[in-house]
């Protein structure tokens, strides 16, 4: 299938690693390629002095502790908004290290505290381990708000790709378990629906970086069984949730040539229909992972939109 990809992005396609994540062996190789992907990312030197530290927080009951990485501007005295951030990687690859540059860029733009979660990965740790790790990190963040310099009334959860799906699941857990209270959710190109039955998921079998074959294995690894069954939890696949009322305001992004496009759009529609203040951005001529090409105009717009959404959603009051 041919795709009318943004001409500024097109020359980069041959330089981006083409992850085959359709078996355990392929995932092992993809994890080894993470360093290659990191080398493609430009290094970022923040304008502001930013304190970065790793913490170990209590994990879910009976499970190991969870590593998180905390980012905060040095010298900030008053409480600021907090964002629990969940990295992407199809539930099976990725780490907080891959998010470092992006976190520094966000905090250069916005005076917030970011708590980035190094959750356990499938297939070694299938559902509910990853989303429970993320929820445990959220509970810790809320409990330590004073120590972290976070205003608990301005606490959000966000993530991209599988991280967007885990963010949506974490938000559902927070609502259904009675807290922590959240003011915002950022769902970037989210992976939400194990049923794999949208037009974009059926048709996009060979799109760059992410496609239907990868998605099938991703969900199989995460669920520990064949996707699309009758008893899949909405905390694993938030598109399965029958009630989306009472969730915090949402900002949802999707890319045109992404198998995840339609499930993100449908989730945004259902959030809005449930009375949740929701914004949706569909970026034309893009694919899953376009944001890796930071020099393109469309990518700069994507980042600008993310910053503006976080500023509004977290009620950031100070200028950088």
């Amino acid at each position: 299938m041919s795709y009318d990809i943004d001409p500024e992005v097109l020359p980069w396609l041959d330089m981006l690693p083409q992850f085959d994540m359709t078996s355990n062996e392929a995932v092992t190789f993809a994890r080894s390629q993470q360093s290659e992907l990191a080398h493609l990312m430009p290094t970022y030197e923040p304008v502001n002095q930013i304190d970065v530290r790793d913490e170990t927080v209590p994990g879910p009951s009976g499970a190991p502790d969870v590593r998180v990485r905390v980012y905060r501007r040095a010298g900030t005295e008053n409480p600021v908004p907090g964002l629990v951030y969940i990295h992407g990687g199809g539930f099976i690859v990725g780490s907080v290290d891959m998010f470092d540059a992006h976190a520094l860029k966000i905090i250069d733009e916005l005076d917030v505290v970011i708590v980035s979660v190094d959750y356990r990965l499938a297939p070694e740790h299938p559902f509910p381990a990853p989303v429970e790790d993320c929820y445990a990190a959220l509970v810790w963040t809320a409990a330590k708000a004073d120590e972290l310099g976070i205003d608990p009334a301005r606490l959000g959860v966000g993530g991209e790709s599988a991280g967007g799906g885990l963010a949506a699941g974490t938000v559902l857990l927070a609502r259904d378990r009675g807290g922590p209270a959240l003011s915002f959710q950022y769902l970037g190109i989210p992976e939400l629906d194990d049923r794999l039955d949208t037009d974009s998921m059926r048709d996009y079998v060979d799109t760059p970086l992410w496609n239907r074959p990868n998605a099938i294995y991703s969900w199989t690894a995460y669920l520990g069984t064949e996707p699309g069954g009758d008893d899949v939890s909405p905390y694993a696949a938030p598109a399965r949730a029958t009630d989306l009322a009472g969730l915090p305001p949402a900002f949802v992004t999707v890319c045109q040539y992404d198998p995840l496009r339609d499930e993100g759009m449908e989730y945004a529609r259902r959030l809005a229909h449930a009375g949740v203040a929701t914004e949706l951005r569909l970026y034309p001529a893009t694919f899953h992972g376009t944001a890796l090409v930071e020099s393109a105009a469309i990518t700069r717009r994507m980042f600008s939109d993310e910053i503006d959404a976080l500023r509004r959603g977290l009620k950031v009051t100070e200028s950088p």
Side-chain angles (χ1 to χ4, degrees):
M1 191 170 180
S2 61
Y3 307 101
D4 187 18
I5 292 172
D6 187 295
E8 279 192 280
V9 175
L10 198 58
W12 288 80
L13 285 184
D14 290 338
M15 290 179 276
L16 294 176
Q18 299 303 308
F19 290 127
D20 169 15
M21 290 189 279
T22 55
S23 68
N24 289 355
E25 294 77 15
V27 167
T28 299
F29 179 69
R31 288 174 180 172
S32 72
Q33 281 190 301
Q34 286 180 170
S35 58
E36 176 188 344
L37 190 59
H39 291 321
L40 289 174
M41 302 289 286
T43 57
Y44 183 76
E45 293 297 332
V47 175
N48 295 281
Q49 183 179 345
I50 299 173
D51 293 330
V52 181
R53 71 179 192 272
D54 286 353
E55 297 271 2
T56 301
V57 309
S61 178
D65 290 343
V66 180
R67 184 170 73 106
V68 300
R69 185 164 294 170
V70 181
Y71 303 80
R72 177 180 172 82
R73 281 193 194 177
T76 298
E77 297 180 358
N78 296 323
V80 298
L83 177 68
V84 174
Y85 187 89
I86 306 170
H87 69 77
F91 310 115
I92 49 181
V93 300
S95 69
V96 293
D97 299 323
M98 298 295 294
F99 177 63
D100 264 326
H102 195 65
L104 295 173
K105 288 177 65 177
I106 290 174
I107 295 180
D108 251 355
E109 297 285 342
L110 302 172
D111 191 2
V112 301
V113 173
I114 292 177
V115 178
S116 183
V117 188
D118 202 19
Y119 57 89
R120 288 170 289 172
L121 299 175
E124 296 90 342
H125 304 285
F127 174 82
V131 73
E132 289 287 0
D133 284 357
C134 296
Y135 181 72
L138 171 63
V139 170
W140 176 85
T141 301
K144 296 287 187 179
D146 286 347
E147 179 182 323
L148 295 170
I150 291 174
D151 175 0
R154 294 183 290 165
L155 178 61
V157 177
E160 297 199 356
S161 191
L166 289 166
T170 301
V171 168
L172 288 169
L173 284 173
R175 180 196 66 181
D176 296 345
R177 293 178 179 176
L182 295 169
S183 64
F184 183 63
Q185 55 180 320
Y186 168 71
L187 309 180
I189 51 176
E191 187 171 4
L192 299 162
D193 196 344
D194 71 295
R195 291 166 293 192
L196 305 167
D197 196 33
T198 64
D199 287 343
S200 60
M201 183 58 72
R202 287 192 300 269
D203 290 346
Y204 296 158
V205 298
D206 58 354
T207 39
L209 287 184
W210 200 248
N211 48 55
R212 180 179 176 85
N214 284 346
I216 292 172
Y217 179 80
S218 168
W219 280 110
T220 302
Y222 184 40
L223 298 176
T225 186
E226 291 292 322
D230 294 333
D231 58 351
V232 173
S233 169
Y235 306 123
R240 299 271 196 156
T242 57
D243 178 13
L244 299 181
L247 296 175
F251 185 81
V252 185
T253 69
V254 294
C255 292
Q256 182 174 0
Y257 300 121
D258 183 351
L260 304 179
R261 181 195 66 205
D262 293 351
E263 61 201 67
M265 294 173 68
E266 175 62 9
Y267 197 71
R269 184 197 68 79
R270 292 185 56 224
L271 284 169
H273 193 66
V276 177
T278 305
E279 292 185 63
L280 171 67
R281 296 285 190 278
L282 166 60
Y283 294 104
T286 57
F287 56 89
H288 195 92
T290 294
L292 293 171
V293 186
E294 293 186 343
S295 59
I298 187 68
T299 301
R300 295 196 301 272
R301 179 154 63 91
M302 293 165 76
F303 179 68
S304 177
D305 287 349
E306 178 183 354
I307 292 298
D308 288 345
L310 290 171
R311 179 180 288 111
R312 295 191 305 272
L314 297 175
K315 299 179 174 61
V316 179
T317 56
E318 286 189 35
S319 300

